[in-house]
Amino acid sequence: MNIRNAEINDLPRIMEIFAHARRFMAEHGNPDQWGPDNWPPEDLIRSDIECGKCRVCIQDGEIVGTFFYDQGKNIEPDYLKIDDGAWLDDSAYGVIHRVASSGKVKGIGSACIHWALSRCRHLRIDTHKDNLVMQNMLRKNGFIHCGTIYVRNGSEPRMAFERTDMKQP
């Protein structure tokens, strides 16, 4: 699988993938994370593409997944406050958001994580309490549940996960 920066002409396909992901989450007991307001909005994804933080996963010439990636010190304002626990490491980190798959290829989430780990050995990610598929994938990939964070654009708390591993991949 190849992962590259998304381009503006990828936007329609990316939005199709998000629509599929909303249906998948609803069918697997997580209808509220993205479903009620058709998250994420197209203008946010357009902005992610324009600033070079939206990625696409390519298999056999087709976009089969997408995610947001950024890295730095305190880059995610929603992560500055964590309840019911603590982050493992306060150094600069990579953050992954909006992981979505077309459903045509298994392992998109793990591929995104491995790609991010090749760039930064300290990652943070959050998910909804009902997103058991994502929670299981994160634990399988060495993430530890660290506490609860609250996102500005959502009323539900999110489970915060972190992986810090300064060993070489």
Side-chain angles (χ1 to χ4, degrees), residues 22-158:
R22 283 190 294 274
R23 288 188 302 272
F24 177 87
M25 286 193 285
E27 291 167 2
H28 291 85
N30 184 24
D32 297 324
Q33 185 171 353
W34 287 357
D37 55 3
N38 286 323
W39 184 261
E42 186 172 318
D43 60 335
L44 175 63
I45 303 308
R46 181 180 302 277
S47 174
D48 290 350
I49 293 169
E50 290 169 353
C51 70
K53 296 177 183 174
C54 181
R55 310 291 193 251
V56 289
C57 306
I58 312 289
Q59 182 79 35
D60 298 326
E62 180 182 358
I63 297 174
V64 295
T66 185
F67 65 105
F68 171 96
Y69 177 78
D70 196 8
Q71 71 183 63
K73 180 77 172 166
N74 295 326
I75 54 172
E76 176 52 72
D78 294 336
Y79 290 177
L80 294 175
K81 182 178 187 290
I82 184 167
D83 291 340
D84 305 321
W87 294 114
L88 304 172
D89 182 340
D90 68 353
S91 66
Y93 58 91
V95 64
I96 302 170
H97 290 309
R98 299 186 276 288
V99 177
S101 167
S102 68
K104 293 184 177 184
V105 176
K106 291 191 179 282
I108 295 293
S110 292
C112 297
I113 287 169
H114 292 288
W115 179 91
L117 283 169
S118 74
R119 282 142 183 85
C120 181
R121 302 302 298 175
H122 178 200
L123 300 176
R124 291 181 180 173
I125 191 169
D126 66 87
T127 193
H128 194 277
K129 66 179 173 46
D130 293 333
N131 196 339
L132 300 180
V133 172
M134 178 63 80
Q135 291 171 42
N136 290 335
M137 187 273 300
L138 291 172
R139 287 185 175 103
K140 181 182 88 172
N141 280 285
F143 282 77
I144 296 170
H145 177 233
C146 293
T148 303
I149 59 102
Y150 297 86
V151 294
R152 290 162 287 168
N153 61 348
S155 60
E156 295 285 325
R158 299 287 193 265

